[in-house]
Amino acid sequence: ISIIGLYSNVIDAGPGVISSQGGKFPTIGTVQTTFLVNELKRLKEKRTTDPRAILVAVHHPPFTGDNKHGGSPRMSKDLDDAFETGGLWPDAILSGHAHNYQRFLRTNKHGKKIPYLVSGSGGYNNTPIKNAPAHFPFAIPGRTDLVMENYHAEYGYLQITSDGNAKTLTIAFKAIAPSTGYAGDDSVTVNWGN
């Protein structure tokens, strides 16, 4: 597994960004997006000789159903631009910020299905989504490329397991309820060999 970590908390109490957004945030510059593009190009080249799953981890989620700690369209644009320029879309996107667990599935314009996981309930008071969907998968209004597949308003953490031989990656959320202990889980398996 290759994990590319990015820092999006560069604007105190502001939106999550990893670039200057075309000069809107001039102090941020393009260091992180340049780094991300270069890593994607390097990993794309190595994928034939050293195949591995590729994850991108960043604090601010591109998508979230959370009203208090919302998703960052600017982060989504920065990531999409870097993936296109680097010529490689990762196998999963991991983020936090929202104090709960949410799992989205996005189909990019090339037809690749990519899980976007928000796991921000590792210890801070979790914040339930207002008007949480009654069923899953839940189609995101106005989007044809994005569905919310699951949600938990419980404390918890992610566990990532890779089977290099089968070229699969399983990302599991382990929910812990403080009063009762184990509260269930959710998982997604990605075949990164394709």
Side-chain angles (χ1 to χ4, degrees), residues 41-160:
K41 287 179 178 179
R42 181 183 70 81
L43 291 168
K44 181 181 179 183
E45 187 176 307
K46 288 183 70 168
R47 218 165 197 187
T48 56
T49 59
D50 183 18
R52 58 183 65 205
I54 299 167
L55 306 178
V56 169
V58 62
H59 179 77
H60 287 83
F63 315 111
T64 179
D66 188 286
N67 294 350
K68 185 172 182 180
H69 294 93
S72 174
R74 291 181 171 133
M75 175 61 60
S76 183
K77 181 177 179 352
D78 280 345
L79 292 175
D80 286 1
D81 290 348
F83 302 155
E84 285 296 316
T85 302
L88 180 66
W89 285 71
D91 300 297
I93 311 292
L94 310 176
S95 58
H97 193 57
H99 301 156
N100 51 50
Y101 168 79
Q102 301 168 56
R103 178 167 55 86
F104 294 86
L105 183 66
R106 181 179 180 205
T107 305
N108 73 6
K109 67 182 186 179
H110 306 288
K112 181 174 181 171
K113 295 185 182 302
I114 304 168
Y116 284 66
L117 294 98
V118 180
S119 182
S121 59
Y124 195 82
N125 286 338
N126 52 46
T127 307
I129 295 175
K130 291 182 182 177
N131 303 315
H135 61 85
F136 297 100
F138 175 76
I140 304 302
R143 301 283 302 250
T144 59
D145 64 333
L146 188 66
V147 296
M148 180 184 247
E149 292 195 314
N150 212 335
Y151 157 76
H152 284 283
E154 300 286 349
Y155 292 107
Y157 60 93
L158 292 181
Q159 181 179 36
I160 302 172

Side-chain angles (χ1 to χ4, degrees), residues 134-193:
H135 61 85
F136 297 100
F138 175 76
I140 304 302
R143 301 283 302 250
T144 59
D145 64 333
L146 188 66
V147 296
M148 180 184 247
E149 292 195 314
N150 212 335
Y151 157 76
H152 284 283
E154 300 286 349
Y155 292 107
Y157 60 93
L158 292 181
Q159 181 179 36
I160 302 172
T161 309
S162 177
D163 180 345
N165 294 329
K167 295 188 178 177
T168 60
L169 179 74
T170 301
I171 306 170
F173 175 73
K174 304 294 184 178
I176 307 296
S179 59
T180 60
Y182 178 71
D185 62 342
D186 178 58
S187 67
V188 61
T189 299
V190 179
N191 183 344
W192 53 267

